[in-house]
Amino acid sequence: MIDLRSDTVTAPTEAMRAAMARAEVGDDVYGEDPTVRELEERVASLFGHEAALFTPTGSLANVLAVAALVGAGQEVLCESRAHIARAELGVHGAVTGLTMRTWSHPGGQVDHAAIADLHAPDMGPFFVRTAAISVENTHNFAGGAVLPLADLQQLRSFADEHATAIHLDGARIWNAHVATGVPLAAYGAVADMLAVCLSKGLGAPVGSLVIGSRERIAEARVRRKRLGAGLRQVGILAAAGLHALDHHVERLADDHAHARLLAEAAGVDPATVDTNVVVIDRADAADYVARAGQQGVRVSAVGPRTVRLVTHLDVSRADAERAAVVLARL
Ligand SMILES: *Cc1c(COP(=O)(O)O)cnc(C)c1O
Protein backbone atom coordinates (compact mmCIF):
# COMPACT_ATOMS: atom_id res chain seq x y z
CA MET A 1 0.00 0.00 0.00
CA ILE A 2 1.21 3.51 -0.83
CA ASP A 3 -0.37 5.76 1.79
CA LEU A 4 -1.06 9.26 0.47
CA ARG A 5 -3.82 10.15 2.96
CA SER A 6 -1.65 12.53 4.99
CA ASP A 7 1.92 13.47 5.84
CA THR A 8 1.14 12.50 9.45
CA VAL A 9 1.33 8.77 8.62
CA THR A 10 5.15 8.60 8.55
CA ALA A 11 6.94 6.24 10.94
CA PRO A 12 10.21 7.39 12.57
CA THR A 13 13.29 6.24 10.66
CA GLU A 14 15.91 3.98 12.23
CA ALA A 15 18.26 6.96 12.60
CA MET A 16 15.52 9.00 14.29
CA ARG A 17 14.75 6.13 16.68
CA ALA A 18 18.46 5.91 17.53
CA ALA A 19 18.55 9.65 18.28
CA MET A 20 15.49 9.25 20.52
CA ALA A 21 17.07 6.34 22.38
CA ARG A 22 20.23 8.38 23.06
CA ALA A 23 18.40 11.53 24.24
CA GLU A 24 19.43 13.10 27.52
CA VAL A 25 16.27 13.78 29.54
CA GLY A 26 15.00 15.46 32.70
CA ASP A 27 11.67 16.57 34.16
CA ASP A 28 10.41 19.21 31.75
CA VAL A 29 7.75 20.51 34.16
CA TYR A 30 10.74 21.54 36.31
CA GLY A 31 12.35 22.99 33.15
CA GLU A 32 15.10 20.37 33.47
CA ASP A 33 14.97 18.47 30.20
CA PRO A 34 18.09 19.55 28.27
CA THR A 35 16.91 18.11 24.96
CA VAL A 36 13.57 19.93 25.13
CA ARG A 37 15.37 23.15 25.99
CA GLU A 38 17.73 22.71 23.07
CA LEU A 39 14.81 22.15 20.68
CA GLU A 40 12.86 25.13 22.05
CA GLU A 41 15.87 27.46 21.80
CA ARG A 42 16.77 26.26 18.33
CA VAL A 43 13.25 26.67 16.94
CA ALA A 44 12.78 30.10 18.56
CA SER A 45 16.01 31.28 16.99
CA LEU A 46 15.19 29.81 13.55
CA PHE A 47 12.11 32.06 13.49
CA GLY A 48 13.85 35.06 15.09
CA HIS A 49 11.73 34.99 18.26
CA GLU A 50 12.74 34.98 21.92
CA ALA A 51 11.20 31.73 23.07
CA ALA A 52 9.33 28.55 22.14
CA LEU A 53 7.40 25.83 23.94
CA PHE A 54 7.09 22.15 23.03
CA THR A 55 3.55 20.74 22.79
CA PRO A 56 2.29 17.24 22.01
CA THR A 57 0.10 18.40 19.11
CA GLY A 58 -0.20 21.21 16.61
CA SER A 59 -3.75 21.82 17.75
CA LEU A 60 -2.54 22.53 21.28
CA ALA A 61 0.21 24.78 19.88
CA ASN A 62 -2.51 26.74 18.05
CA VAL A 63 -4.71 26.93 21.16
CA LEU A 64 -1.82 28.34 23.21
CA ALA A 65 -0.67 30.68 20.45
CA VAL A 66 -4.11 32.16 19.80
CA ALA A 67 -4.96 32.37 23.51
CA ALA A 68 -1.79 34.40 24.05
CA LEU A 69 -3.22 37.05 21.71
CA VAL A 70 -7.00 36.84 22.06
CA GLY A 71 -8.92 36.84 25.33
CA ALA A 72 -12.36 35.50 26.24
CA GLY A 73 -15.04 37.56 24.54
CA GLN A 74 -12.67 38.84 21.86
CA GLU A 75 -12.34 37.57 18.29
CA VAL A 76 -9.78 36.25 15.85
CA LEU A 77 -10.27 36.62 12.08
CA CYS A 78 -9.25 33.74 9.80
CA GLU A 79 -9.90 32.16 6.41
CA SER A 80 -13.05 29.99 6.42
CA ARG A 81 -11.22 26.68 5.84
CA ALA A 82 -8.45 27.41 8.37
CA HIS A 83 -7.44 24.50 10.59
CA ILE A 84 -8.22 26.60 13.69
CA ALA A 85 -11.78 27.14 12.41
CA ARG A 86 -12.54 23.67 11.01
CA ALA A 87 -10.31 21.00 12.42
CA GLU A 88 -9.80 21.81 16.09
CA LEU A 89 -13.31 20.87 17.19
CA GLY A 90 -14.25 24.30 18.48
CA VAL A 91 -11.60 24.39 21.21
CA HIS A 92 -10.87 28.10 20.77
CA GLY A 93 -14.49 28.90 21.61
CA ALA A 94 -15.06 26.07 24.06
CA VAL A 95 -11.88 26.52 26.11
CA THR A 96 -10.47 29.99 25.43
CA GLY A 97 -13.91 31.60 25.06
CA LEU A 98 -13.10 33.62 21.95
CA THR A 99 -15.17 33.98 18.79
CA MET A 100 -14.14 33.85 15.14
CA ARG A 101 -15.21 35.57 11.95
CA THR A 102 -13.93 34.41 8.62
CA TRP A 103 -13.16 35.55 5.12
CA SER A 104 -13.27 33.04 2.24
CA HIS A 105 -10.65 32.82 -0.45
CA PRO A 106 -10.65 29.92 -2.97
CA GLY A 107 -6.87 29.67 -2.68
CA GLY A 108 -6.76 30.10 1.11
CA GLN A 109 -4.96 33.42 0.61
CA VAL A 110 -4.92 36.67 2.58
CA ASP A 111 -7.83 38.84 1.33
CA HIS A 112 -6.79 42.34 2.39
CA ALA A 113 -10.07 44.00 1.47
CA ALA A 114 -12.20 41.41 3.27
CA ILE A 115 -9.98 41.62 6.35
CA ALA A 116 -10.22 45.42 6.41
CA ASP A 117 -14.03 45.08 6.26
CA LEU A 118 -14.20 42.54 9.08
CA HIS A 119 -11.58 44.12 11.29
CA ALA A 120 -13.11 45.87 14.34
CA PRO A 121 -10.49 46.64 16.98
CA ASP A 122 -12.58 49.27 18.73
CA MET A 123 -16.18 49.84 17.73
CA GLY A 124 -17.39 50.71 21.19
CA PRO A 125 -19.18 48.68 23.82
CA PHE A 126 -21.57 46.90 21.44
CA PHE A 127 -19.18 44.99 19.19
CA VAL A 128 -16.74 42.16 19.68
CA ARG A 129 -13.17 43.42 19.61
CA THR A 130 -10.85 41.98 16.95
CA ALA A 131 -7.67 41.09 18.81
CA ALA A 132 -5.85 39.04 16.17
CA ILE A 133 -5.77 37.91 12.55
CA SER A 134 -4.75 34.32 11.86
CA VAL A 135 -3.15 33.01 8.66
CA GLU A 136 -2.17 29.48 7.67
CA ASN A 137 1.00 28.83 5.65
CA THR A 138 0.93 26.50 3.87
CA HIS A 139 -2.86 26.33 3.78
CA ASN A 140 -3.88 22.71 4.30
CA PHE A 141 -7.45 22.62 2.95
CA ALA A 142 -6.53 24.98 0.10
CA GLY A 143 -4.22 22.25 -1.19
CA GLY A 144 -0.92 23.11 0.48
CA ALA A 145 -1.01 26.65 -0.94
CA VAL A 146 1.87 28.98 -0.08
CA LEU A 147 0.99 32.49 1.17
CA PRO A 148 3.37 34.94 -0.57
CA LEU A 149 5.66 36.81 1.82
CA ALA A 150 4.63 40.18 0.34
CA ASP A 151 0.99 39.54 1.34
CA LEU A 152 2.03 38.60 4.85
CA GLN A 153 4.17 41.74 5.12
CA GLN A 154 1.30 43.89 3.93
CA LEU A 155 -0.93 42.26 6.55
CA ARG A 156 1.76 42.95 9.17
CA SER A 157 1.70 46.66 8.30
CA PHE A 158 -2.10 46.69 8.54
CA ALA A 159 -1.99 44.93 11.92
CA ASP A 160 0.68 47.34 13.22
CA GLU A 161 -1.37 50.35 12.17
CA HIS A 162 -4.31 49.06 14.19
CA ALA A 163 -2.45 47.47 17.12
CA THR A 164 -3.84 44.05 16.16
CA ALA A 165 -1.80 40.86 16.54
CA ILE A 166 -1.00 38.14 13.97
CA HIS A 167 -1.07 34.40 14.56
CA LEU A 168 0.57 32.16 11.97
CA ASP A 169 -0.45 28.50 11.84
CA GLY A 170 2.77 27.16 10.37
CA ALA A 171 2.08 23.44 10.69
CA ARG A 172 3.73 23.16 7.24
CA ILE A 173 5.80 26.36 7.26
CA TRP A 174 8.82 24.16 6.44
CA ASN A 175 7.20 23.26 3.12
CA ALA A 176 6.62 26.96 2.34
CA HIS A 177 10.25 27.72 3.22
CA VAL A 178 11.65 24.97 0.99
CA ALA A 179 9.26 25.71 -1.90
CA THR A 180 10.03 29.45 -1.98
CA GLY A 181 13.46 29.87 -0.38
CA VAL A 182 11.98 32.50 1.98
CA PRO A 183 13.97 32.28 5.26
CA LEU A 184 12.05 30.97 8.28
CA ALA A 185 12.98 34.18 10.11
CA ALA A 186 11.17 36.24 7.44
CA TYR A 187 7.99 34.26 8.18
CA GLY A 188 8.71 34.67 11.89
CA ALA A 189 8.95 38.45 11.48
CA VAL A 190 5.35 38.80 10.26
CA ALA A 191 3.77 37.02 13.24
CA ASP A 192 3.43 37.71 16.96
CA MET A 193 2.87 34.04 17.69
CA LEU A 194 3.48 30.96 15.52
CA ALA A 195 2.64 27.29 15.79
CA VAL A 196 4.81 24.80 13.88
CA CYS A 197 4.59 20.99 13.58
CA LEU A 198 7.36 18.40 13.64
CA SER A 199 4.98 15.51 12.98
CA LYS A 200 3.86 16.41 9.44
CA GLY A 201 6.39 16.44 6.62
CA LEU A 202 9.34 16.47 9.03
CA GLY A 203 8.46 12.92 10.06
CA ALA A 204 8.71 13.08 13.87
CA PRO A 205 6.20 10.79 15.59
CA VAL A 206 4.86 13.56 17.86
CA GLY A 207 5.47 17.21 18.55
CA SER A 208 4.84 20.84 17.75
CA LEU A 209 6.02 24.16 19.10
CA VAL A 210 4.44 27.47 19.90
CA ILE A 211 6.77 30.43 19.32
CA GLY A 212 6.72 34.04 20.52
CA SER A 213 8.05 36.53 23.07
CA ARG A 214 9.55 35.35 26.38
CA GLU A 215 6.59 36.78 28.27
CA ARG A 216 3.89 35.18 26.11
CA ILE A 217 5.67 31.82 26.09
CA ALA A 218 5.87 31.93 29.90
CA GLU A 219 2.08 32.41 29.96
CA ALA A 220 1.65 29.63 27.40
CA ARG A 221 3.66 27.33 29.70
CA VAL A 222 1.14 27.95 32.48
CA ARG A 223 -1.82 27.35 30.16
CA ARG A 224 -0.24 24.17 28.83
CA LYS A 225 0.04 22.78 32.37
CA ARG A 226 -3.51 23.88 33.15
CA LEU A 227 -4.74 21.88 30.15
CA GLY A 228 -2.96 18.79 31.44
CA ALA A 229 -0.09 18.82 28.96
CA GLY A 230 2.85 19.43 31.31
CA LEU A 231 5.21 16.74 30.05
CA ARG A 232 7.99 15.04 32.00
CA GLN A 233 10.97 13.22 30.35
CA VAL A 234 9.86 14.40 26.94
CA GLY A 235 13.39 14.86 25.59
CA ILE A 236 12.87 11.48 23.91
CA LEU A 237 10.35 13.21 21.63
CA ALA A 238 12.29 16.47 21.34
CA ALA A 239 15.26 14.42 20.09
CA ALA A 240 13.10 13.22 17.19
CA GLY A 241 12.37 16.86 16.39
CA LEU A 242 16.03 17.88 16.49
CA HIS A 243 16.89 14.95 14.22
CA ALA A 244 14.10 16.01 11.83
CA LEU A 245 15.44 19.58 11.69
CA ASP A 246 18.90 18.25 10.86
CA HIS A 247 17.86 15.71 8.24
CA HIS A 248 14.31 16.18 6.97
CA VAL A 249 13.87 19.83 5.99
CA GLU A 250 15.72 20.15 2.66
CA ARG A 251 14.34 16.81 1.44
CA LEU A 252 10.81 18.29 1.44
CA ALA A 253 11.73 19.39 -2.11
CA ASP A 254 11.44 15.69 -3.09
CA ASP A 255 7.90 15.56 -1.67
CA HIS A 256 7.00 18.64 -3.73
CA ALA A 257 8.40 17.07 -6.92
CA HIS A 258 6.47 13.84 -6.20
CA ALA A 259 3.27 15.86 -5.67
CA ARG A 260 3.67 17.52 -9.09
CA LEU A 261 4.24 14.11 -10.70
CA LEU A 262 1.03 12.76 -9.10
CA ALA A 263 -0.91 15.88 -10.08
CA GLU A 264 0.05 15.47 -13.71
CA ALA A 265 -0.96 11.79 -13.67
CA ALA A 266 -4.31 12.69 -12.07
CA GLY A 267 -5.08 15.40 -14.62
CA VAL A 268 -4.40 18.34 -12.28
CA ASP A 269 -2.23 21.20 -13.56
CA PRO A 270 1.09 20.71 -11.72
CA ALA A 271 1.60 24.50 -11.77
CA THR A 272 -1.24 24.74 -9.21
CA VAL A 273 0.63 22.47 -6.78
CA ASP A 274 2.79 24.67 -4.51
CA THR A 275 4.01 22.00 -2.09
CA ASN A 276 3.13 18.43 -1.03
CA VAL A 277 -0.68 18.43 -1.26
CA VAL A 278 -2.70 17.67 -4.40
CA VAL A 279 -6.43 18.31 -4.54
CA ILE A 280 -8.44 16.55 -7.23
CA ASP A 281 -11.94 17.76 -8.04
CA ARG A 282 -14.01 14.62 -8.75
CA ALA A 283 -17.79 14.29 -8.69
CA ASP A 284 -17.20 10.61 -7.79
CA ALA A 285 -14.77 11.30 -4.91
CA ALA A 286 -15.82 8.37 -2.67
CA ASP A 287 -15.74 5.91 -5.56
CA TYR A 288 -12.35 7.23 -6.73
CA VAL A 289 -10.92 6.70 -3.23
CA ALA A 290 -12.28 3.12 -3.17
CA ARG A 291 -10.91 2.26 -6.62
CA ALA A 292 -7.49 3.76 -5.83
CA GLY A 293 -7.43 1.67 -2.64
CA GLN A 294 -8.17 -1.54 -4.58
CA GLN A 295 -5.09 -0.77 -6.69
CA GLY A 296 -2.78 -0.19 -3.73
CA VAL A 297 -2.97 3.61 -3.35
CA ARG A 298 -4.65 5.09 -0.28
CA VAL A 299 -6.01 8.62 -0.80
CA SER A 300 -8.75 10.46 1.08
CA ALA A 301 -11.97 12.32 0.31
CA VAL A 302 -12.04 15.63 2.19
CA GLY A 303 -15.37 16.70 0.68
CA PRO A 304 -18.12 15.12 -1.46
CA ARG A 305 -16.23 16.05 -4.63
CA THR A 306 -12.72 16.60 -3.29
CA VAL A 307 -9.97 14.00 -3.19
CA ARG A 308 -6.70 14.84 -1.41
CA LEU A 309 -3.25 13.28 -1.81
CA VAL A 310 -0.28 14.19 0.37
CA THR A 311 3.32 13.18 -0.28
CA HIS A 312 5.79 12.60 2.56
CA LEU A 313 8.96 10.99 3.88
CA ASP A 314 7.67 7.43 3.49
CA VAL A 315 6.81 7.85 -0.22
CA SER A 316 9.87 7.16 -2.34
CA ARG A 317 10.36 8.20 -5.97
CA ALA A 318 9.53 4.62 -6.99
CA ASP A 319 6.33 4.72 -4.89
CA ALA A 320 5.34 8.03 -6.47
CA GLU A 321 5.91 6.60 -9.95
CA ARG A 322 3.83 3.49 -9.14
CA ALA A 323 1.04 5.64 -7.68
CA ALA A 324 1.14 7.87 -10.78
CA VAL A 325 0.44 4.85 -13.00
CA VAL A 326 -2.59 3.98 -10.88
CA LEU A 327 -3.92 7.57 -10.85
CA ALA A 328 -3.45 7.93 -14.61
CA ARG A 329 -5.58 4.77 -15.10
CA LEU A 330 -8.31 6.18 -12.84
C1 LIG B 1 -2.05 19.17 11.18
C2 LIG B 1 -2.32 20.59 11.33
C3 LIG B 1 -2.35 21.20 12.59
C4 LIG B 1 -2.15 20.45 13.89
O1 LIG B 1 -2.68 19.20 13.93
P1 LIG B 1 -2.45 18.13 15.08
O2 LIG B 1 -3.03 16.92 14.47
O3 LIG B 1 -3.19 18.60 16.28
O4 LIG B 1 -0.98 18.00 15.36
C5 LIG B 1 -2.56 22.55 12.65
N1 LIG B 1 -2.72 23.29 11.53
C6 LIG B 1 -2.68 22.74 10.31
C7 LIG B 1 -2.81 23.62 9.12
C8 LIG B 1 -2.48 21.37 10.16
O5 LIG B 1 -2.45 20.84 8.93
Side-chain angles (χ1 to χ4, degrees):
M1 260 303 175
I2 300 168
D3 196 343
L4 300 171
R5 288 171 303 164
S6 173
D7 47 9
T8 56
V9 300
T10 55
T13 62
E14 284 306 317
M16 182 179 278
R17 287 171 193 256
M20 295 170 75
R22 277 196 307 272
E24 231 189 290
V25 298
D27 189 322
D28 185 51
V29 172
Y30 292 163
E32 291 174 1
D33 189 302
T35 311
V36 172
R37 291 171 71 152
E38 183 186 343
L39 176 67
E40 289 175 344
E41 282 163 21
R42 179 159 166 197
V43 169
S45 110
L46 281 174
F47 288 91
H49 280 258
E50 287 173 350
L53 180 73
F54 185 85
T55 61
T57 67
S59 296
L60 182 59
N62 275 336
V63 168
L64 298 176
V66 176
L69 304 174
V70 186
Q74 299 180 341
E75 71 180 3
V76 58
L77 307 180
C78 62
E79 205 278 326
S80 61
R81 287 170 300 163
H83 198 277
I84 65 164
R86 273 196 80 195
E88 292 170 11
L89 293 309
V91 63
H92 300 271
V95 174
T96 308
L98 56 78
T99 61
M100 289 181 181
R101 283 187 301 148
T102 59
W103 74 90
S104 292
H105 187 289
Q109 298 291 315
V110 176
D111 182 334
H112 297 285
I115 292 168
D117 277 349
L118 290 167
H119 187 255
D122 182 13
M123 286 181 56
F126 308 110
F127 292 95
V128 177
R129 177 181 164 232
T130 306
I133 302 162
S134 177
V135 287
E136 186 174 309
N137 193 18
T138 64
H139 194 306
N140 179 10
F141 294 121
V146 170
L147 273 45
L149 183 63
D151 273 335
L152 296 172
Q153 288 169 333
Q154 189 181 332
L155 187 67
R156 176 78 264 170
S157 306
F158 175 84
D160 285 344
E161 263 169 54
H162 297 93
T164 298
I166 294 183
H167 163 250
L168 172 55
D169 178 353
R172 295 188 181 80
I173 195 76
W174 323 99
N175 296 85
H177 160 66
V178 168
T180 59
V182 170
L184 294 170
Y187 289 130
V190 300
D192 297 284
M193 297 292 288
L194 296 89
V196 302
C197 289
L198 305 166
S199 58
K200 300 277 168 80
L202 295 195
V206 172
S208 290
L209 292 107
V210 45
I211 305 164
S213 69
R214 219 180 304 285
E215 195 184 329
R216 286 183 173 132
I217 292 298
E219 284 168 24
R221 194 176 289 279
V222 173
R223 283 200 187 89
R224 183 184 68 172
K225 183 74 167 67
R226 183 176 294 138
L227 293 172
L231 301 164
R232 303 294 178 173
Q233 286 73 23
V234 73
I236 287 180
L237 298 177
L242 287 165
H243 179 86
L245 291 175
D246 286 335
H247 301 285
H248 297 167
V249 176
E250 296 312 320
R251 65 150 304 285
L252 291 171
D254 298 341
D255 295 346
H256 302 168
H258 297 160
R260 288 192 296 272
L261 176 81
L262 293 171
E264 201 153 19
V268 173
D269 179 358
T272 64
V273 176
D274 287 351
T275 55
N276 68 327
V277 183
V278 181
V279 171
I280 312 173
D281 183 21
R282 296 279 303 209
D284 60 343
D287 184 54
Y288 186 93
V289 170
R291 285 186 296 135
Q294 283 156 13
Q295 298 181 55
V297 180
R298 294 181 91 170
V299 299
S300 49
V302 293
R305 45 179 308 137
T306 311
V307 174
R308 191 185 72 165
L309 329 176
V310 187
T311 55
H312 53 76
L313 187 58
D314 290 357
V315 177
S316 65
R317 182 79 196 177
D319 291 335
E321 284 169 0
R322 262 200 311 135
V325 171
V326 170
L327 297 180
R329 248 194 328 254
L330 290 177

